[in-house]
Amino acid sequence: MSNIIYYHAGCPVCLEAERSVVAELQKNSEVTIVNLGEDKKAITDAKTVGVKSVPALVINGLPFHINFGAPMSALEA
Amino acid sequence: MSNIIYYHAGCPVCLEAERSVVAELQKNSEVTIVNLGEDKKAITDAKTVGVKSVPALVINGLPFHINFGAPMSALEA
C-alpha cells in the first residue's frame, strides 16, 4: 500500500494538477491532501522530504514536483 | 476513461517518476509510455500539447511536468 501525500496551496496550477493527476491516483489509492497555505505547520514535513515547490506529490517518501505553482518560500512568508 | 501518456527519455529522473508516479497510475489505468529518445517522431506530438521537458504526463491532453530530467531541446538534437 503506497503512502501518497499531495501538497498544494490552492493556486490555479495546483487545482489543475489536483483535478487531473490526483483524481487519477484516487481511483485506486488514498491520497492525503495538504494545503500548505492553510496548514503552515506541515511546511516543515514537506521540506524534510525534499518538497521545493507546490503542487507536489510525495509517494513513499519521494517528492515529485508537478509543473510549478509556487516556491516553498512564498508559503513560509 | 482517461487518456494518459507518459513521456520520458530514459533519464534517472524519468526512471524514478516511472517507478513511483506511473506505477501508481497503472494500478487503475492504462498508461501509454513513450521514450522520446527512441521515438523522435513523437516529440512533435508532445510539444503540440505543451510538453516542455521530460518526464511528463499528459492526462486528457493536459501536460504535467514531473521534476526535471531534460528539456525537449536536448531530445531534438
Side-chain angles (χ1 to χ4, degrees):
Chain A
M1 188 69 186
S2 297
N3 182 288
I4 309 179
I5 306 170
Y6 175 66
Y7 289 109
H8 72 106
C11 59
V13 172
C14 299
L15 287 172
E16 190 175 70
E18 190 166 340
R19 280 192 216 103
S20 294
V21 185
V22 177
E24 286 298 326
L25 292 169
Q26 285 174 322
K27 289 180 182 174
N28 187 74
S29 305
E30 288 265 323
V31 179
T32 302
I33 296 179
V34 179
N35 183 333
L36 292 176
E38 296 170 353
D39 186 357
K40 297 271 183 186
K41 296 188 308 300
I43 293 176
T44 306
D45 302 337
K47 286 177 74 176
T48 300
V49 294
V51 173
K52 292 180 165 46
S53 61
V54 288
L57 281 170
V58 175
I59 301 181
N60 298 327
L62 291 175
F64 297 95
H65 304 89
I66 304 172
N67 290 342
F68 181 80
M72 295 299 271
S73 58
L75 304 176
E76 292 174 299
Chain B
M1 189 68 187
S2 298
N3 182 288
I4 308 179
I5 306 171
Y6 175 66
Y7 289 109
H8 73 107
C11 59
V13 173
C14 299
L15 287 172
E16 191 175 68
E18 190 166 340
R19 280 192 217 105
S20 295
V21 185
V22 177
E24 286 299 325
L25 292 169
Q26 285 175 322
K27 289 180 181 175
N28 186 76
S29 305
E30 288 265 322
V31 180
T32 302
I33 296 179
V34 178
N35 183 333
L36 293 176
E38 295 170 354
D39 186 357
K40 298 271 183 186
K41 295 188 306 301
I43 292 176
T44 307
D45 302 336
K47 288 177 73 176
T48 299
V49 293
V51 173
K52 293 180 165 46
S53 61
V54 288
L57 280 170
V58 176
I59 302 181
N60 298 327
L62 291 175
F64 297 96
H65 305 89
I66 304 172
N67 291 343
F68 181 80
M72 295 299 272
S73 57
L75 305 175
E76 293 173 299

